Amino acid sequence: MTIGAVHCSWDPYKVLGLKRGASIPEIRRAYKQSAREWHPDKNRNENAESKFVEVNKAYELLSDPVRRKLFDQKGVVDDSLNRNMHNPNNRFGDGASFFSGHGGFRFQFKMSEMTAFHQYRITLRRYENFILPQSQNQPYLILVYSEWCLMCLHVLPIWQRLVEDLNPIGINLATVHFDQEVELANKLGGRRGELPHVVLVMDSRISHYIEDELSNSKVIEFIRSRFSRNLIAFVNDQNINEFIGGWKDNKVRVMLFGKLELVRLRYLTLAFKYRPHTLFGYAQLNLETTRAIVDKFGIPLKLDSLLLFQEDRDRPAARLSMADLPYSTLKDIIETNKYLQLPRLSSQKMLDLLCPPESSNVRRRLCAILVTEDREEDEEAREQLRHFTRQFKFSRDRIVFSYLFREKQTEFLRALLEDGKSPAEATTKVVIVWRQDIQRLSYSWLPQPFVSGADNWNSSVNYLHRTLIKILGSAQPLAHTTSMKELVDEYAQGILGRITARLVTTAEILRDHFTRQELLAVGSVVGTVLFIAAVGYVMTYLVRLEEETIRKTNKGLPKTPRPTTTELKLHELRSETYNGMVRLLKPGCRTVVLLLDNESMDVLIPKFHKAVWPYRKNKSLLFGWMNIDRGLPWYSRLLNLALKIADDDEGTDVTLDSNSVKPKNCVGTVVSLNGHRRYFCIYHARHPECVSDSGAKRMQNMARRLTVSNRVMNDASGAFMGFDSSLEDSDNSDVERGDPLKSQDMEPLITSGLGLHTQQFSTDFALEGLSNWLDRLFEGTTQRYNINYWPDFGNL
């Protein structure tokens, strides 16, 4: 039958017991009920299997909106499997059909064929308790399937072929039923709608098969790619001696010879299984680079061969040549010879394998341990003990010979020594050990050291042989009993090795879970970051190199000290800078301005600069100067505004005439302006700060004196605001306290002189007290004069 759309009288609605137009939830409920009713494992009716297939076919049609619409309109059934096989999103599809018949449909595979999957089925408990630990030395290929998965039936022949090919070479296969083991299926990455799903569990890691097509060759290639690249070393004439002679790492050497360039998968699984005890090498036959090896050991060119080496590099302990080396035979040979003739106790695991606990005194297994040091001088003693084991064929089931390094297994050796003895005293001595259980052991030291050499060899050998025969022939316990200390793992990975292994594992996980495009995108980002870091490092290096070159060039030149002081600029207050220095000041900022004229500029500016120098690093201060000849109108209006604020408190109307303020009297005045809060403070050598009264009253007294004195208004030599000597003698003067003394009120403030007892005011002394006033200014103890607004600057 050609698969496609066919007309038939078969009604999927009738099969599921539904009416036309049923919703998707109703279809699902009907399907679940019918599937449980007609499942062949639960229904013993002879028609149950065909009815079950029919129920599944009806559900497949009605759950597909396109096919359902076609059936509702024209009564046409479109074969879903034909479309499913050709769907590019369908993994493992090859276009094969599963339905055939005339005028109807018949399922080609019987449900009983699912038993091919069922017989390898595992549970979560078996996976965690058996498969995961076993995967340390044997790979497991696991398939996740479901009985409703039609593609699982499609891959059934491929799975059966994999079972036949992989089981004999040491790779176990298992299946997981998705519906019955949901937790395990999710842990393995199986998702409903994406079945079948294949994974490889090896070394307790899960690797996902991500190819679009499932075939025998692709699965084998997938398994091969999971093995480490250095699991089997490639050996030739140049490195054969190094490979065979490396047995001091406590591992036997296995040499494999084959005609193929590619190492067989069975060799990889064998090397993976015995990697704790053996090291594998592979040499390809019929090559010039391996001819010397072949001639030396007599390897047949037309057969695959195995050579197993222990301590003797010239004489293999076992050999085998066949046209096709069976995995089971290889495993038997290695299992029999997986230890050296005289193995070293290099870890607790090695001790457990060589000397397992045996509680029965009759069946006890003894371990003869030679204590040596890791040096060439003790190698002769170890070699003599190897000759002893070959001369006297003791059964390994009764006694095992081994040795250990004293300096590496100090804790274990100290537990076997009597009180007061040093571990160094046990060197080249033999101790007989019987492990009664995991923690407790019995032991006896041979009092005579095992000394090598022509003079001592016979006596040492005879004494050791007599002692062992006596111990093995007697059921008496050994001399001492103690609690065992675990051996140190001499080949444990360091922190660098663990980090490297973790990075390799992470890279493999990323390779399994990300596509090539995603890896390229991530690699591009990482590469860009590394490139930027490299460029930054190169630039830094070049700058440092240039600095060193300049330093060497200027090494002989005299060094000129760099100025370490911060520059202090004084700005001129004029109409162009008025807004920036006063009106537009930020909150918390102030401008300190010195009033001067052309004659006093050269004298006052250096003094002012020196006084304000300690405050140069304060970002909230701005320092400047103003020519009083140019700014006298602004300064007079500033004083008038301060007086008007005081008028509100006193009830008087006082106006200060700008002509009453003489420029000469203002020279040496320092004004601190707070532009944001609109107030100012005044410093002058003849201007005392208020002690008890407010500044407003004092300003009114000053203004009143100015207004009543007309005879000296134009006297340029008058003191600033008319402070005479009588006012300066006491802090309790009427100007300070505002006392209504008529005799003083009538005296003018601006006079031609300062009195009989005062000296002529000079610019040399104008800024003598500025430093103290600045300290009080920044402490907030100076008198503040508030204004409503800042007057315009200029000749008004």
Side-chain angles (χ1 to χ4, degrees):
M1 157 183 166
T2 302
I3 299 174
V6 295
H7 292 270
C8 64
S9 58
W10 177 73
D11 188 358
Y13 292 102
K14 186 177 180 180
V15 172
L16 296 178
L18 296 169
K19 297 180 180 180
R20 290 183 179 271
S23 62
I24 294 297
E26 292 175 345
I27 294 174
R28 290 176 180 172
R29 285 195 296 269
Y31 165 70
K32 290 181 180 179
Q33 182 177 356
S34 300
R36 285 195 297 266
E37 179 182 357
W38 294 105
H39 197 284
D41 294 343
K42 299 180 180 180
N43 195 324
R44 299 302 179 184
N45 193 308
E46 58 182 7
N47 297 324
E49 184 176 333
S50 59
K51 184 66 175 178
F52 181 73
V53 173
E54 193 175 10
V55 168
N56 280 277
K57 186 182 63 168
Y59 176 70
E60 289 284 343
L61 189 149
L62 295 180
S63 61
D64 190 331
V66 177
R67 297 177 61 221
R68 179 183 178 185
K69 184 176 181 181
L70 180 63
F71 179 82
D72 291 341
Q73 292 177 350
K74 302 181 179 180
V76 175
V77 176
D78 185 26
D79 191 352
S80 63
L81 291 181
N82 186 45
R83 184 184 69 253
N84 193 34
M85 291 300 102
H86 293 282
N87 187 351
N89 296 324
N90 181 18
R91 297 174 64 232
F92 313 147
D94 61 355
S97 64
F98 289 88
F99 290 103
S100 62
H102 298 282
F105 295 86
R106 181 174 59 84
F107 200 67
Q108 200 172 35
F109 294 97
K110 296 182 179 180
M111 296 304 297
S112 59
E113 293 183 356
M114 278 290 183
T115 55
F117 290 138
H118 294 340
Q119 62 181 342
Y120 296 101
R121 191 170 61 189
I122 60 173
T123 61
L124 177 62
R125 182 178 180 181
R126 178 173 176 79
Y127 172 79
E128 293 179 344
N129 297 337
F130 181 78
I131 291 181
L132 268 184
Q134 192 71 15
S135 68
Q136 296 289 336
N137 53 34
Q138 191 167 15
Y140 273 83
L141 189 70
I142 303 178
L143 180 140
V144 184
Y145 74 99
S146 174
E147 292 182 352
W148 323 113
C149 169
L150 300 179
M151 289 306 303
C152 297
L153 292 176
H154 174 59
V155 302
L156 180 59
I158 301 175
W159 180 258
Q160 292 174 332
R161 177 68 183 277
L162 289 173
V163 172
E164 297 172 0
D165 292 344
L166 299 180
N167 261 340
I169 63 172
I171 299 177
N172 288 345
L173 288 88
T175 59
V176 175
H177 195 295
F178 183 87
D179 298 316
Q180 297 181 9
E181 295 290 339
V182 178
E183 183 179 354
L184 176 57
N186 292 332
K187 182 176 294 187
L188 296 176
R191 300 291 183 268
R192 186 180 295 277
E194 299 178 1
L195 303 180
H197 183 69
V198 179
V199 298
L200 180 71
V201 181
M202 189 169 69
D203 205 6
S204 299
R205 295 203 307 265
I206 299 174
S207 301
H208 301 269
Y209 181 82
I210 58 176
E211 295 290 337
D212 294 332
E213 179 184 357
L214 183 68
S215 64
N216 188 276
S217 60
K218 286 186 176 295
V219 171
I220 291 177
E221 186 62 31
F222 163 68
I223 297 174
R224 181 185 295 275
S225 66
R226 298 299 96 182
F227 290 99
S228 176
R229 295 181 180 272
N230 58 357
L231 185 60
I232 296 181
F234 287 91
V235 181
N236 51 39
D237 296 340
Q238 283 71 35
N239 61 0
I240 180 63
N241 292 329
E242 180 183 357
F243 175 76
I244 297 177
W247 55 266
K248 291 187 178 180
D249 61 1
N250 214 26
K251 294 182 180 181
V252 300
R253 263 45 180 178
V254 177
M255 273 297 304
L256 297 167
F257 297 86
K259 299 180 290 295
L260 301 177
E261 180 181 359
L262 191 66
V263 180
R264 291 177 179 269
L265 184 59
R266 70 187 64 183
Y267 299 160
L268 291 173
T269 57
L270 198 69
F272 180 75
K273 181 178 180 64
Y274 291 101
R275 57 180 175 165
H277 314 291
T278 62
L279 194 63
F280 280 71
Y282 181 79
Q284 185 181 354
L285 299 173
N286 301 320
L287 292 179
E288 291 293 334
T289 56
T290 60
R291 178 172 297 179
I293 307 175
V294 173
D295 295 340
K296 179 179 180 180
F297 296 106
I299 305 298
L301 298 178
K302 296 184 179 180
L303 301 176
D304 289 352
S305 301
L306 174 143
L307 300 180
L308 188 145
F309 295 88
Q310 293 177 337
E311 286 91 339
D312 192 347
R313 68 173 65 185
D314 296 323
R315 182 183 302 174
R319 65 184 301 156
L320 177 66
S321 295
M322 296 179 64
D324 189 10
L325 295 175
Y327 175 83
S328 57
T329 305
L330 297 173
K331 186 176 70 171
D332 293 340
I333 293 177
I334 297 176
E335 189 68 33
T336 306
N337 303 277
K338 65 180 179 179
Y339 300 114
L340 298 173
Q341 294 176 6
L342 187 66
R344 185 172 79 255
L345 299 180
S346 57
S347 65
Q348 183 63 33
K349 186 176 182 181
M350 180 66 74
L351 178 65
D352 294 339
L353 293 172
L354 293 175
C355 304
E358 177 57 65
S359 59
S360 174
N361 191 23
V362 179
R363 299 189 307 269
R364 63 182 178 180
R365 300 182 63 177
L366 303 179
C367 189
I369 304 174
L370 174 64
V371 180
T372 65
E373 292 186 356
D374 187 9
R375 59 182 182 177
E376 291 296 330
E377 289 80 355
D378 289 351
E379 179 59 32
E380 187 177 358
R382 294 190 289 266
E383 184 61 29
Q384 295 295 352
L385 187 57
R386 292 188 189 97
H387 285 297
F388 179 87
T389 60
R390 290 193 294 266
Q391 181 180 359
F392 303 98
K393 301 291 184 179
F394 288 97
S395 173
R396 278 185 174 265
D397 295 335
R398 296 298 310 277
I399 185 169
V400 175
F401 294 88
S402 62
Y403 73 99
L404 58 77
F405 290 146
R406 178 188 60 82
E407 63 272 19
K408 294 184 179 180
Q409 305 297 342
T410 306
E411 293 298 324
F412 173 79
L413 189 58
R414 186 175 288 113
L416 302 180
L417 294 174
E418 298 178 2
D419 296 339
K421 287 190 176 182
S422 171
E425 300 178 14
T427 303
T428 68
K429 283 190 176 183
V430 177
V431 58
I432 310 299
V433 174
W434 168 37
R435 294 186 63 188
Q436 297 173 319
D437 53 37
I438 297 178
Q439 293 293 335
R440 192 164 54 95
L441 58 81
S442 181
Y443 66 94
S444 291
W445 284 93
L446 272 64
Q448 181 175 337
F450 191 80
V451 182
S452 60
D455 298 335
N456 303 316
W457 168 239
N458 290 331
S459 61
S460 297
V461 168
N462 291 334
Y463 180 79
L464 178 61
H465 184 258
R466 289 195 308 270
T467 304
L468 293 178
I469 292 297
K470 181 179 179 181
I471 294 176
L472 291 174
S474 174
Q476 294 181 357
L478 300 180
H480 306 283
T481 302
T482 185
S483 296
M484 187 187 66
K485 300 292 185 180
E486 287 194 359
L487 275 75
V488 177
D489 189 355
E490 299 177 10
Y491 296 100
Q493 283 186 332
I495 183 170
L496 184 61
R498 291 196 297 269
I499 293 175
T500 304
R502 183 63 59 87
L503 291 176
V504 172
T505 303
T506 303
E508 292 178 354
I509 293 174
L510 292 176
R511 183 180 62 181
D512 292 340
H513 290 79
F514 291 92
T515 63
R516 181 181 179 87
Q517 290 75 14
E518 291 172 336
L519 288 178
L520 288 176
V522 174
S524 176
V525 174
V526 174
T528 302
V529 173
L530 293 178
F531 176 77
I532 294 174
V535 171
Y537 175 79
V538 171
M539 295 297 294
T540 304
Y541 174 77
L542 293 177
V543 171
R544 186 166 61 250
L545 190 64
E546 184 178 1
E547 290 178 352
E548 292 177 357
T549 304
I550 296 174
R551 191 181 300 111
K552 291 179 181 179
T553 304
N554 299 334
K555 188 174 183 181
L557 299 178
K559 297 182 179 179
T560 57
R562 296 182 179 179
T564 57
T565 57
T566 305
E567 184 181 3
L568 176 62
K569 293 183 179 180
L570 299 180
H571 307 273
E572 182 182 2
L573 182 63
R574 57 180 185 268
S575 58
E576 294 83 0
T577 60
Y578 178 63
N579 288 335
M581 295 179 66
V582 180
R583 284 180 170 175
L584 301 180
L585 282 180
K586 295 181 179 179
C589 297
R590 283 180 286 189
T591 300
V592 181
V593 180
L594 170 66
L595 307 185
L596 48 77
D597 57 9
N598 294 331
E599 298 176 0
S600 61
M601 179 179 297
D602 296 336
V603 178
L604 293 181
I605 284 185
K607 292 180 177 292
F608 179 72
H609 190 276
K610 182 179 179 180
V612 299
W613 176 259
Y615 308 98
R616 64 191 182 281
K617 296 183 179 180
N618 194 326
K619 302 297 183 181
S620 63
L621 296 178
L622 190 65
F623 300 98
W625 55 276
M626 185 188 74
N627 195 322
I628 192 61
D629 296 331
R630 179 184 299 176
L632 184 61
W634 169 80
Y635 183 60
S636 301
R637 294 199 63 194
L638 187 67
L639 297 177
N640 262 325
L641 290 174
L643 291 175
K644 289 181 179 180
I645 296 296
D647 290 345
D648 297 337
D649 298 331
E650 296 296 331
T652 60
D653 186 7
V654 180
T655 301
L656 180 64
D657 187 3
S658 61
N659 294 325
S660 64
V661 181
K662 301 301 181 180
K664 289 294 183 180
N665 292 351
C666 298
V667 172
T669 303
V670 177
V671 185
S672 173
L673 309 170
N674 191 315
H676 180 72
R677 299 183 63 180
R678 293 193 295 276
Y679 70 83
F680 63 91
C681 300
I682 296 179
Y683 163 80
H684 191 274
R686 302 303 184 187
H687 185 289
E689 286 292 339
C690 178
V691 176
S692 58
D693 292 339
S694 65
K697 293 181 179 180
R698 183 178 60 187
M699 291 288 288
Q700 285 181 344
N701 282 333
M702 294 176 185
R704 183 169 58 253
R705 293 175 182 274
L706 290 173
T707 55
V708 298
S709 97
N710 297 322
R711 59 186 178 85
V712 290
M713 286 299 178
N714 296 324
D715 189 350
S717 62
F720 170 70
M721 286 193 172
F723 291 128
D724 55 17
S725 58
S726 63
L727 297 177
E728 292 180 358
D729 292 338
S730 174
D731 291 336
N732 297 323
S733 62
D734 62 314
V735 176
E736 288 283 326
R737 302 181 57 85
D739 295 336
L741 301 177
K742 294 183 180 181
S743 61
Q744 295 181 356
D745 287 345
M746 298 305 296
E747 295 179 358
L749 291 178
I750 299 179
T751 63
S752 58
L754 297 177
L756 298 176
H757 304 288
T758 60
Q759 299 177 353
Q760 182 68 28
F761 180 76
S762 173
T763 56
D764 295 336
F765 304 98
L767 300 179
E768 288 296 328
L770 179 60
S771 298
N772 295 332
W773 181 81
L774 288 173
D775 292 339
R776 289 185 282 109
L777 172 69
F778 298 129
E779 291 173 359
T781 59
T782 57
Q783 182 63 41
R784 298 179 179 180
Y785 303 103
N786 297 292
I787 59 175
N788 290 331
Y789 64 92
W790 292 106
D792 293 333
F793 193 93
N795 297 322
L796 301 176

